[in-house]
């Protein structure tokens, strides 16, 4: 009954859930496509949202990847693809080309054309530095200036331009850290029991085996960077070429790495919600309602019932019975301070990171 009449936009769903309501954007990009970006996601998802609204349905966007969700909420991205796609021949990805340069050289180039963005980004964050440099090269406008223009639009704020869908709300399912860690470990075990290794072997044989043989495997772009594949690299490339004991050790190493990186990613997701959605003032941040999921035996009363009440209130245009979450922001915090830790020879940007 909960699913009836809903349209779900997500990349995380079980086959059982797919039978309950219509899902979109699952298994539609070829695994060998490496230049599918958040801009591509936004364009396809936005078109789907319009289509769903036109059918008098309610689109539910399920995370995950909060950066992608932000791309749907705010005018925040810069599309540099259209200009390139009109050229004949294969489309080159300038960002990937720039990432081949040395980190120091990349940051030096950005400092020359966009010193504000260079001060904001860590010199070793090649992806973001390369992206900002790409934006300048392909638009002729500094990345920081474009972001300022978006934020200064009517209804804009710290996270970008005005909200695209003014009546949005965010439901944040959060759990006690110990309960979450235990659940994530069980999730990995369940994935293994459901056939994860067979899926990994098949994927490796079809898409990555030849790349490894030619020493051109790339775990930084496209689907190959996904959590759950690269952690088993040693196991997959050595399977059949080493002793059963060694293979078993490499398998356990991969399983433990998968559990560790999954828990680390969950912490990063929660940190993103707190820092981006809860600590940002302004009218262009949708209300965030927290739903406690530590005790699954209380799912009906702690999650399902309040979630339905909140969504129903939004549909009917009245105030929800629950209060949205808020966090105080430290106005004295300097996000661009630069300090060097001499013990580990690392540059730390921002007061919070330094603390």
């Amino acid at each position: 009954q909960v699913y009836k009449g809903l349209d779900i936009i997500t990349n995380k769903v079980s086959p059982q859930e797919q039978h309950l309501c219509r899902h979109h954007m699952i298994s539609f990009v070829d695994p060998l496509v490496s230049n599918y970006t958040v801009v591509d996601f936004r364009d396809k998802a936005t078109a789907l949202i319009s289509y769903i609204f036109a059918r008098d349905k309610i689109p539910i966007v399920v995370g995950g990847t909060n950066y992608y969700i932000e791309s749907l909420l705010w005018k925040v991205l810069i599309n540099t693809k259209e200009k390139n796609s009109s050229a004949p021949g294969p489309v080159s990805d300038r960002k990937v080309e720039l990432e081949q340069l040395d980190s120091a050289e990349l940051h030096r180039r950005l400092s020359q054309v966009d010193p504000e963005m260079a001060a904001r980004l860590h010199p070793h964050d090649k992806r973001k530095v390369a992206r900002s440099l790409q934006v300048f090269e392909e638009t002729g406008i500094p990345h920081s200036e474009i972001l300022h223009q978006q934020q200064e639009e009517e209804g804009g704020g710290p996270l970008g331009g005005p909200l695209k869908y003014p009546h949005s709300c965010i439901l944040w399912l959060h759990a006690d850290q110990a309960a979450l860690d235990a659940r994530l470990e069980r999730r990995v075990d369940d994935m293994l029991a459901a056939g994860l290794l067979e899926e990994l072997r098949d994927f490796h044989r079809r898409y990555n085996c030849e790349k490894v043989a030619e020493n051109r495997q790339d775990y930084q772009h496209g689907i190959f960077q996904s959590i759950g594949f690269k952690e088993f690299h040693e196991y997959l490339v050595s399977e059949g070429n080493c002793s059963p004991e060694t293979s078993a050790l490499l398998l356990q190493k991969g399983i433990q790495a998968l559990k560790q990186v999954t828990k680390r990613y969950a912490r990063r997701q929660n940190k993103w919600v707190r820092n981006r959605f809860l600590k940002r003032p302004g009218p262009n941040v949708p209300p965030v309602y927290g739903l406690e999921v530590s005790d699954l035996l209380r799912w009906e009363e702690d999650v399902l019932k309040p979630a339905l009440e909140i969504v129903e209130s939004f549909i009917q245009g009245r105030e929800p019975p629950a209060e949205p979450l808020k966090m105080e922001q430290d106005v004295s915090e300097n996000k661009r301070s630069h300090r060097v830790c001499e013990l580990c020879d690392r540059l730390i940007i921002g007061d919070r990171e330094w603390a």
Side-chain angles (χ1 to χ4, degrees):
Q1 287 300 313
V2 175
Y3 283 106
K4 190 176 180 182
L6 299 179
D7 279 76
I8 314 292
I9 298 172
T10 182
N11 62 349
K12 293 176 171 64
V13 65
S14 69
Q16 294 83 359
E17 289 171 321
Q18 289 188 54
H19 292 304
L20 293 173
C21 65
R22 187 172 183 180
H23 287 72
H24 303 271
M25 296 183 75
I26 301 173
S27 300
F28 70 99
V29 180
D30 187 282
L32 294 181
V33 172
S34 62
N35 63 342
Y36 189 87
T37 69
V38 65
V39 174
D40 298 309
F41 166 83
R42 178 204 63 190
D43 293 346
K44 184 173 179 63
T46 301
L48 274 168
I49 289 171
S50 298
Y51 163 72
I52 293 166
F53 275 135
R55 292 166 53 229
D56 289 328
K57 302 283 187 178
I58 300 170
I60 310 293
V61 181
V62 183
T65 312
N66 296 318
Y67 179 54
Y68 278 56
I69 292 176
E70 283 195 15
S71 75
L72 300 180
L73 290 173
W74 294 279
K75 179 182 177 182
V76 72
L77 298 178
I78 300 147
N79 191 359
T80 60
K81 271 193 171 184
E82 291 177 1
K83 196 168 88 170
N84 297 336
S85 58
S86 59
V91 177
S92 64
D93 191 329
R94 179 57 177 156
K95 178 172 170 284
V96 174
E97 292 173 358
L98 288 167
E99 285 177 21
Q100 307 309 310
L101 297 174
D102 175 74
S103 294
E105 171 62 16
L106 258 183
H107 198 260
R108 185 191 65 80
R109 291 191 185 186
L110 184 61
S111 300
Q112 291 178 334
V113 298
D114 192 349
E116 181 181 342
M117 210 64 192
R120 189 186 306 180
L121 299 177
H122 197 287
H124 293 165
D125 194 341
K126 291 182 77 170
R127 286 189 163 207
K128 290 184 180 178
V129 174
R131 174 57 180 162
S132 286
L133 203 52
Q134 177 197 20
V135 168
F136 175 77
E137 288 185 359
E138 297 180 356
T139 66
I141 305 171
H143 192 181
S144 58
E145 186 176 326
I146 295 175
L147 294 179
H148 282 312
Q149 290 172 359
Q150 290 177 346
Q151 293 167 2
E152 288 167 3
E153 289 183 25
E154 185 178 353
L159 289 174
L163 272 175
K164 295 180 186 175
Y165 309 102
H167 303 295
S168 309
C169 75
I170 297 172
L171 303 178
W172 179 33
L173 279 64
H174 58 87
D176 172 76
Q177 194 63 57
L180 179 59
D181 286 346
R183 194 175 298 160
L184 292 173
E185 294 223 359
R186 287 197 303 272
R187 173 181 161 184
V188 172
D189 294 335
D190 291 344
M191 288 164 64
L192 288 162
L196 175 63
L197 290 182
E198 289 73 19
E199 185 178 335
L200 288 171
R201 289 190 191 102
D202 178 62
F203 188 85
H204 179 68
R205 185 175 62 252
R206 291 165 62 191
Y207 298 111
N208 205 41
C209 204
E210 187 179 330
K211 290 186 174 189
V212 171
E214 297 174 359
N215 197 29
R216 57 185 179 89
Q217 73 271 18
D218 178 12
Y219 294 114
Q220 302 300 318
H221 298 94
I223 198 170
F224 298 98
Q225 67 186 306
S226 302
I227 291 175
F229 182 63
K230 57 185 178 294
E231 287 75 21
F232 289 90
H233 171 81
E234 288 184 87
Y235 171 74
L236 291 169
V237 298
S238 64
E239 194 177 25
N241 301 316
C242 63
S243 67
E245 293 79 14
T246 301
S247 186
L249 285 173
L250 291 175
L251 174 58
Q252 285 304 313
K253 182 181 176 183
I255 293 171
Q256 292 307 312
L258 176 55
K259 289 181 176 181
Q260 183 180 21
V261 76
T262 300
K263 289 186 284 189
R264 189 184 306 142
Y265 183 61
R267 282 172 166 78
R268 210 159 60 232
Q269 286 178 312
N270 285 333
K271 182 180 176 184
W272 184 292
V273 172
R274 292 188 187 98
N275 293 337
R276 301 283 291 179
F277 293 158
L278 299 182
K279 289 189 176 180
R280 296 295 178 114
N284 75 329
V285 181
V288 179
Y289 297 92
L291 301 169
E292 173 66 50
V293 295
S294 297
D295 184 358
L296 293 182
L297 295 176
R298 291 184 52 82
W299 178 268
E300 295 278 338
E301 54 265 53
D302 289 350
V303 184
L304 181 57
K305 186 171 180 287
L308 291 175
E309 288 174 348
I310 291 166
V311 173
E312 198 171 299
S313 299
F314 268 81
I315 293 171
Q316 296 175 355
R318 54 183 172 83
E319 283 294 314
E323 284 289 321
L325 297 173
K326 286 187 173 65
M327 289 183 73
E328 292 299 321
Q329 186 182 31
D330 185 357
V331 292
S332 64
E333 178 190 333
N334 184 351
K335 295 182 180 177
R336 301 185 192 178
S337 62
H338 285 57
R339 299 182 180 91
V340 175
C341 175
E342 296 179 0
L343 286 174
C344 48
D345 190 28
R346 284 183 59 191
L347 172 65
I348 311 294
I349 298 182
D351 290 352
R352 186 183 304 130
E353 285 70 17
W354 177 253

